[in-house]
Amino acid sequence: MELLKLDDFPLKAFDKIRYGDTDRQGHINNATFLTYLETGRVELIYHPDFRALDENNSFVIASVKLDFIKEIKWPGSIDIGTGIINIGNSSIRLHQQLFQHDQCMASSETVIVQVNDQKGVSRPLSDRAKEALEKWIITV
């Protein structure tokens, strides 16, 4: 998958790199990359002007593919680019990249599925939700 620049993403977020995010080698722990991706994903899903979730539903992660490109170092911040590659019946495929000092540090593709909160089964996205999500579509 081709790497994008931060400005290519329709949604940009950031996260502070905490000292506690480091591992014994002094770079950011691999698991923390997923936390940074969550920051961008949540800002898209719960965006106040473009709510994607239908009432009584949640999004769950069905799959994550994460490519580590460079080590992230403390201190500083991470910029997170997030866009939607595809909107399915009940799922959304996201492309995200993490940036430090304008360099791409990681690239990810995540599939999230809308599920009914009471039954725990997938639930189709409403037309209203699909329309809200179209704002975030990118071409990769």
Side-chain angles (χ1 to χ4, degrees):
M1 185 172 290
E2 183 180 333
L3 294 179
L4 303 175
K5 295 178 181 150
L6 182 60
D7 287 340
D8 295 331
F9 286 92
L11 182 71
K12 296 160 196 71
F14 71 94
D15 219 338
K16 181 180 176 86
I17 301 171
R18 295 162 294 279
Y19 177 77
D21 294 342
T22 62
D23 60 18
R24 57 185 302 201
Q25 285 84 28
H27 59 263
I28 300 309
N29 184 294
N30 293 343
T32 305
F33 281 61
L34 295 168
T35 301
Y36 299 148
L37 294 170
E38 178 184 56
T39 297
R41 189 172 59 247
V42 167
E43 288 200 20
L44 183 143
I45 294 167
Y46 295 103
H47 193 284
D49 297 329
F50 305 99
R51 292 265 321 182
L53 267 177
D54 290 325
E55 193 171 325
N56 299 315
N57 292 287
S58 302
F59 279 113
V60 298
I61 295 175
S63 79
V64 175
K65 179 185 181 290
L66 176 56
D67 294 324
F68 299 99
I69 297 169
K70 295 183 180 186
E71 293 179 352
I72 297 175
K73 302 281 189 176
W74 175 85
S77 63
I78 282 294
D79 291 307
I80 307 149
T82 302
I84 295 175
I85 300 170
N86 184 57
I87 301 170
N89 184 44
S90 61
S91 66
I92 305 165
R93 190 163 50 117
L94 302 169
H95 176 68
Q96 294 179 282
Q97 288 176 213
L98 302 178
F99 297 86
Q100 186 177 37
H101 308 297
D102 295 322
Q103 292 186 42
C104 182
M105 311 307 270
S107 177
S108 174
E109 187 174 307
T110 304
V111 176
I112 57 176
V113 178
Q114 180 175 253
V115 297
N116 178 275
D117 289 336
Q118 287 73 38
K119 298 179 182 177
V121 296
S122 67
R123 174 148 168 101
L125 296 162
S126 67
D127 290 338
R128 182 210 49 82
K130 287 180 181 180
E131 184 178 320
L133 291 166
E134 286 176 1
K135 174 183 179 27
W136 309 113
I137 290 180
I138 59 172
T139 302
V140 183

